[in-house]
Amino acid sequence: MESFWDYLQNLTDAQSIISRGGFYFLLVVVFAETGLFFGFFLPGDYLLFMAGLLCSAGKVDVNISTLVLSLIAAGILGNFTGYWFGYRTGPVLFNKNDSLFFKKRYVVLASDFYNKYGGMALILGRFFPIVRTFAPIFAGVVKVDIKKFGLYNLIGSVTWVCTFTLGGYFLGRRFPQVKDYMQYIVLGLIVITSIPLILAYVKKKLVESKEKHNT
C-alpha cells in the first residue's frame, strides 16, 4: 500500500514533470495521446488538471488563455493525425499483431464505443482513457466525413481541455491548499474515467458468454 501511494506521489508530481519538459512537453503529451496509437498510456486527464492548477499558482510559464488555446490546438491536431493514420491503414489495423505499443483489443473497444455513440464518440471519448486515442483512428478507418469529423474534433477538444484545465485552474484559485491532496484527486480521476471502460468490458464479456451458452 505504501508503494502504491509512493507511485501516486510520483504520478502527481506534475510540477517536476512540467518543469523538466516545460509548456511544450504538455502539448506533445496531448498531441500524442489524442492521435498516436502508442500514446494510449499517457496521463492526459490529470496532467491537464494539474497544468491548470499549477498555472493558477504561477508555476507555468504561460498565462491560462495561452495554455488552454494551445492545448486545444494540440488536441485537434492529434485527432486529425489519428484520423489520417486510420484512413491510410484502413481495416488492416484490425489484423495487426499485438505489440508493446499496440493492442488490437483497444481498437475493438474504440470501434464498439463509436458504433454505439456515432459521431458523439469523438466528443465523449475524449473523457475516457484509450478511447480518446483510438476513436479518431477508427473514424479514419470507416472514413467519417472530414467536415463532420472536424466539427466533432473541435467540440471534443474544447470541451475536454476546458473541463480539466480550467477546472484545475479555478479550483487552485479558490482553494490554494488543494495541491496538498493531489494523490486523492488523481485517484478519483482514475476511478471515474475507468468506470465506463470497466462496465463496457464486463458487459461485452457477459454478452459473449450468453451467446456462447446459447450456441
Side-chain angles (χ1 to χ4, degrees):
M1 189 64 179
E2 183 177 351
S3 61
F4 174 73
W5 283 111
D6 288 340
Y7 170 74
L8 273 183
Q9 285 179 332
N10 291 330
L11 200 62
T12 58
D13 190 9
Q15 185 172 347
S16 63
I17 293 174
I18 295 173
S19 63
R20 285 198 299 269
F23 165 65
Y24 296 104
F25 170 78
L26 290 172
L27 302 184
V28 170
V29 169
V30 170
F31 173 81
E33 192 186 13
T34 56
L36 305 181
F37 68 85
F38 55 79
F40 65 88
F41 64 91
L42 294 171
D45 291 338
Y46 79 82
L47 199 58
L48 289 180
F49 182 86
M50 288 191 287
L53 188 63
L54 291 174
C55 188
S56 71
K59 295 182 179 179
V60 178
D61 55 359
V62 295
N63 59 47
I64 187 61
S65 297
T66 301
L67 178 65
V68 169
L69 291 175
S70 299
L71 291 172
I72 289 173
I76 291 173
L77 290 175
N79 262 204
F80 273 124
T81 301
Y83 178 89
W84 175 84
F85 178 78
Y87 192 94
R88 297 290 294 179
T89 56
V92 175
L93 194 64
F94 286 87
N95 299 319
K96 181 178 174 62
N97 294 326
D98 284 354
S99 65
L100 178 63
F101 296 108
F102 178 83
K103 304 296 179 184
K104 185 164 61 177
R105 65 180 182 273
Y106 295 156
V107 181
V108 175
L109 176 65
S111 66
D112 290 344
F113 192 86
Y114 187 88
N115 289 331
K116 181 176 181 179
Y117 295 104
M120 285 298 293
L122 296 169
I123 299 176
L124 298 175
R126 292 274 188 170
F127 294 86
F128 303 132
I130 300 175
V131 174
R132 67 170 154 262
T133 301
F134 288 95
I137 294 175
F138 180 74
V141 171
V142 298
K143 295 178 170 55
V144 173
D145 179 74
I146 190 64
K147 293 180 180 179
K148 290 183 179 179
F149 178 83
L151 178 61
Y152 290 129
N153 184 11
L154 174 63
I155 296 172
S157 187
V158 170
T159 305
W160 180 53
V161 171
C162 288
T163 297
F164 286 101
T165 308
L166 292 181
Y169 179 78
F170 288 115
L171 188 64
R173 291 288 298 270
R174 182 68 178 83
F175 304 103
Q177 68 276 18
V178 75
K179 66 181 183 297
D180 298 326
Y181 302 94
M182 286 307 301
Q183 295 97 321
Y184 301 101
I185 293 175
V186 170
L187 183 59
L189 289 173
I190 292 173
V191 170
I192 291 172
T193 56
S194 297
I195 287 176
L197 296 180
I198 294 173
L199 291 177
Y201 177 79
V202 171
K203 182 179 179 181
K204 183 178 180 181
K205 287 298 181 181
L206 289 175
V207 171
E208 291 177 350
S209 178
K210 184 177 180 180
E211 291 177 348
K212 185 178 180 180
H213 179 73
N214 291 337
T215 56

